[in-house]
Every structure is written in C-alpha cells, then in structure tokens.
Amino acid sequence: MSYTVLEISGKEALIRKFLELPGRLYSKKEIMQQPEEERRILEGTHVLSHYFTVFPLLVLDEGGTAVSRAVLTVYPEDPEAYLGFFESEDLTEAVKLLLKKAGTIAASQGCVKITGPVDASFWIRYRFKANCFEHSYTGEPYNRSYYVRLWQEAGYEITERYYSNHYRIVGRTYQNPVFSSRLQQKLKEGYEIKSPSPRTFACTLEEVYDLLIELYRSFPVYKPVSREEFSSLYSYLKSLIRWPMVKMAYYQGKAVGFFISIPDYGNTIYGRLSPVDYIRILRNRVKPRSYVMLYMGIDASHRGLGKAMAEAIKEELKAAGVPSVGALIRQGNVNRDYFQELVDYEYEYVLLGRSV
C-alpha cells in the first residue's frame, strides 16, 4: 500500500475527511473530539489563531481514504514547532510519511525542533495518554494506545511525563494529620478559603487568570494569552462546575490560590450535544458519580497553602462519598504526592519531541 501526504488548507473536501477520521477510530463512548473547534483552527478563525500559523496535513491511501492526520503549528520567532490534532490508523509507514512532511515544513519555517502532541496551543490540548485506556475522564487527552509507539518509530523521544492520580472514596473516618493541621494553621494565619458562586464566577475567573498566567509560565509549550481570550476559553466551566468543589484562597483580600474541580461527565460534553446529552449533563451535575480535579495553583510565596486547599477539597469529597481524579500533574510537582494513601491507580501521559 502506498500513501500520499497532502496539505489541506482551504480545501473543503479534505477538511471534511480530516474532521471525519476520529469518528472511524473511536467508539461513541470513547471519542472526545471537538469538530467545531478543529474547523476553526483549520480555517484560522479560532480565538487564538492570530498567535500562530497552522499547516494541516492529511494522509490518504491509494483509494483516497484518510488514514492519518495532524496539524503543524508555528509561532513567530519560536524555533520550536508543535504537532497536534494527531489521529491515525495503526500504520507505521503512513505515520512516518506524515511526520517527515511535518519536519520538512517546520525546517522551512526556520524551526529546529518539533514537540507534540500539542493541538496548536497549550490552552487547547496537549500530551498523549500512555496507559489505563480502559478508564477515561472528562478533560484528559484521550487517544489510541498505539500512538506513542508510532511517534517513537518515527524518531520521536519522550521529553516530559505527567500523571493523574485516581483516588478511591474518602472514608468517613479518614484523616491525614499533616493536611488537616495545615488547613487549621492557614486559617489561623488569616487565610480565607471559600467557594465562588454563579454571581462571582466572572470575577473569580479573572483572579484565576492573574495567578495562572504566571504560575504556568515555566510549563512546556506554554504561551501567554490575554485576559479576554482566557475568559472566552474557560467561561464554559460555569455550566459544569459544582460550587463546593471549587476553592479560592485569599490573603489580606488578594487571591493567592485556586483549586478547580468538575464532576466527571465522561465524554458527554464533547461534540454536538443532543437534548439527551443535556439531560445527562444536568443529572451528573446534580449528583456526580466522580470528580475531576482539573487545575490547582498556589502563589509560590505562600508556602504550605497547597496542602491546606487540598484538605478543604478532601473534606468536600468525604461528604460527597465519591471517587476522584487529580488530573495531569507534571512529573516533579509536589501535589502528585498528596494523599498517596488514597491512590488506587495512576494514569500516565507524555510529550514527545525530535530535532528537524
């Protein structure tokens, strides 16, 4: 079998093939594609499109069937290009051809390295899932189990690792003296830890932005965005969160930490939603079966606050009586070790890279 790699910019028939490929690779219970967002990236109309240039690529077999796809993203004056929106059948030859073409384009743009998977931006989606494919949760990067191998066969090496902890139900009598004493200590020192409300959500989102935009600056593939763009990207959380499972920390009136969790909706929230999907989302929001702890950030000058906020969330989980996931923790971050005695298994995710 021979394959052809095509650049698809502006070609509607090829764009449709690009968007339809994931539907052939995943079952309805697995797929986490956002086709409308992908189309905006391909057409240059996404809220972040002004930051970068994309080169969408599609591999066709001899019969014209799409078998592999990706988008190469290049930022001005950045020697590192990013490859994402990758989906493929388990075809080593086709993927090698695709990644070779991406490398040629990256070199022509003055780049010396490609990192991926990065779906155009740190703020959209990045990383491959590497294990625990029998389990999934809202907000994780989900992919076929052979994707990491395909990239490695094409010369890519793992450059970063991330982990998600799956926590079993917190027992009614469970206590961790270190964390509980830290919470009491911080409250005595004048810290205030509380949940936002629908009325204060917009203000809370801006406070999270002010913290996150600096705290995440050292992360791989990070690029800053404006306050307005951040709000546009994350305002959807208002319809998904349950307020007790979101915590903000304040010291002398200033926001110094955040902990954002949502019920685990599985893949119900992805793609075009039907009336039945909206009913499922509402039911899950009212009575969650599990939680996903998506984002945590603490001003570095407030040592020990992370444990205090984790304890506050743990108490909410104890009251709820459901399991949870501490999502996408970068290797080396201390919060990976929080409440290790409650962890029953661990997900792993990777970034890969190679020179061009």
Side-chain angles (χ1 to χ4, degrees):
M1 178 72 72
S2 63
Y3 303 98
T4 304
V5 185
L6 301 174
E7 296 186 46
I8 69 170
S9 296
K11 301 170 184 175
E12 180 58 31
L14 295 179
I15 289 175
R16 286 199 300 270
K17 289 188 176 186
F18 184 100
L19 297 175
E20 291 166 0
L21 178 56
R24 300 206 325 266
L25 299 173
Y26 302 95
S27 71
K28 288 184 178 180
K29 292 183 178 181
E30 295 174 319
I31 193 164
M32 295 188 179
Q33 182 190 20
Q34 296 280 37
E36 293 182 4
E37 181 175 59
E38 290 181 5
R39 178 175 282 277
R40 290 194 293 271
I41 290 291
L42 299 179
E43 295 178 345
T45 59
H46 192 275
V47 65
L48 302 182
S49 289
H50 65 99
Y51 286 113
F52 48 71
T53 302
V54 297
F55 300 87
L57 302 172
L58 189 66
V59 181
L60 305 181
D61 66 14
E62 293 173 349
T65 299
V67 297
S68 191
R69 65 169 223 186
V71 174
L72 183 76
T73 303
V74 176
Y75 286 79
E77 301 180 6
D78 187 346
E80 190 171 358
Y82 305 96
L83 191 65
F85 295 104
F86 176 84
E87 303 286 359
S88 182
E89 296 183 18
D90 191 358
L91 299 168
T92 299
E93 183 182 348
V95 172
K96 283 185 175 179
L97 200 64
L98 173 69
L99 299 188
K100 181 180 179 181
K101 179 66 172 179
T104 299
I105 296 173
S108 73
Q109 297 296 308
C111 298
V112 298
K113 180 183 179 182
I114 297 179
T115 294
V118 178
D119 292 356
S121 172
F122 171 91
W123 303 101
I124 299 176
R125 189 177 72 161
Y126 66 105
R127 296 165 288 211
F128 276 145
K129 185 172 185 174
N131 70 348
C132 292
F133 292 96
E134 68 277 16
H135 303 290
S136 62
Y137 59 86
T138 304
E140 77 164 339
Y142 192 83
N143 49 265
R144 296 266 64 111
S145 61
Y146 52 82
Y147 282 10
V148 175
R149 170 177 55 80
L150 287 175
W151 280 43
Q152 289 175 322
E153 289 173 346
Y156 280 74
E157 297 180 349
I158 294 173
T159 58
E160 295 279 345
R161 295 182 186 272
Y162 302 79
Y163 301 91
S164 292
N165 292 331
H166 186 274
Y167 298 98
R168 59 181 175 271
I169 295 172
V170 182
R172 291 289 182 177
T173 61
Y174 171 82
Q175 288 292 334
N176 185 308
V178 172
F179 285 79
S180 58
S181 64
R182 187 59 55 83
L183 175 58
Q184 294 307 312
Q185 174 193 343
K186 289 301 177 184
L187 294 177
K188 288 179 180 178
E189 290 175 359
Y191 288 87
E192 184 180 13
I193 297 176
K194 62 181 182 179
S195 297
S197 68
R199 182 178 57 83
T200 64
F201 177 78
C203 178
T204 298
L205 203 58
E206 292 193 359
E207 291 172 331
V208 169
Y209 171 84
D210 289 337
L211 285 164
L212 185 149
I213 207 72
E214 293 301 324
L215 293 173
Y216 285 13
R217 190 173 293 276
S218 64
F219 279 40
V221 311
Y222 171 90
K223 303 285 184 185
V225 296
S226 72
R227 185 186 305 274
E228 294 73 22
E229 289 160 348
F230 179 81
S231 294
S232 174
L233 290 169
Y234 290 100
S235 60
Y236 75 94
L237 288 173
K238 184 177 182 180
S239 64
L240 300 180
I241 59 179
R242 295 191 80 243
W243 304 105
M245 281 294 290
V246 178
K247 301 294 182 186
M248 294 294 298
Y250 298 90
Y251 186 68
Q252 297 180 349
K254 179 183 178 183
V256 293
F258 61 86
F259 206 127
I260 301 174
S261 312
I262 63 171
D264 185 359
Y265 297 98
N267 72 337
T268 307
I269 65 172
Y270 298 97
R272 184 171 295 176
L273 302 184
S274 68
V276 173
D277 291 327
Y278 283 110
I279 293 172
R280 288 174 178 163
I281 290 169
L282 180 60
R283 285 177 177 171
N284 205 351
R285 186 182 181 188
V286 171
K287 192 175 179 60
R289 291 170 293 179
S290 179
Y291 279 101
V292 182
M293 295 175 280
L294 285 174
Y295 310 108
M296 177 183 179
I298 306 294
D299 185 322
S301 64
H302 297 264
R303 295 177 61 85
L305 181 58
K307 284 186 172 67
M309 295 196 72
E311 173 69 11
I313 288 289
K314 186 267 294 179
E315 287 299 300
E316 297 288 354
L317 287 169
K318 182 189 289 189
V322 297
S324 60
V325 175
L328 300 169
I329 305 163
R330 187 182 178 191
Q331 187 173 33
N333 279 15
V334 295
N335 53 325
R336 182 185 172 194
D337 297 326
Y338 286 2
F339 299 110
Q340 272 293 308
E341 64 273 22
L342 295 175
V343 176
D344 50 10
Y345 59 89
E346 187 177 61
Y347 302 81
E348 182 178 2
Y349 307 85
V350 298
L351 271 178
L352 299 97
R354 67 162 298 172
S355 300
V356 299

